[in-house]
Amino acid sequence: SLPKEAMADDEPSLRILGDPRDETQRTFIFRDEDHTLGNSLRHVLIKDARTDFCGYSVPHPSEPLVNVRLQTTGAPAHLVLTDGLLNLAS
């Protein structure tokens, strides 16, 4: 990845990685975020009964990225993430 100054303004603020055949596992990559979002979101998602595993990482201090890995018990991961973000915002 590129340092924050070198990132294009048109890059998406969220990228989603995962096998399209398994909606229960996804890695969400948030641009221009840090441990504040990563740890808070992980905490909210872990408390959700639909979450089987959730963890986050910041690949490198000079990269403004947070990777959130989410595995659910059966619900689509993107729906659990959306609920977690709404819960965090309220």
Side-chain angles (χ1 to χ4, degrees):
S1 281
L2 299 172
K4 186 174 185 174
E5 339 31 270
M7 294 180 116
D9 286 335
D10 61 346
E11 278 199 41
S13 57
L14 174 64
R15 288 181 30 220
I16 303 172
L17 306 177
D19 185 343
R21 297 168 293 179
D22 185 359
E23 293 185 329
T24 66
Q25 302 182 47
R26 291 286 182 271
T27 298
F28 302 94
I29 303 172
F30 293 89
R31 180 179 151 209
D32 295 330
E33 295 295 345
D34 58 20
H35 290 283
T36 303
L37 175 71
N39 194 39
S40 300
L41 184 56
R42 182 200 59 81
H43 177 76
V44 168
L45 291 172
I46 284 292
K47 291 171 55 177
D48 189 315
R50 300 170 294 173
T51 298
D52 190 36
F53 170 82
C54 185
Y56 85 96
S57 65
V58 174
H60 191 276
S62 68
E63 293 180 296
L65 301 173
V66 172
N67 300 325
V68 176
R69 175 69 178 170
L70 177 61
Q71 294 172 218
T72 70
T73 58
H78 72 278
L79 295 180
V80 176
L81 176 79
T82 300
D83 290 348
L85 288 168
L86 291 171
N87 188 352
L88 194 57
S90 63

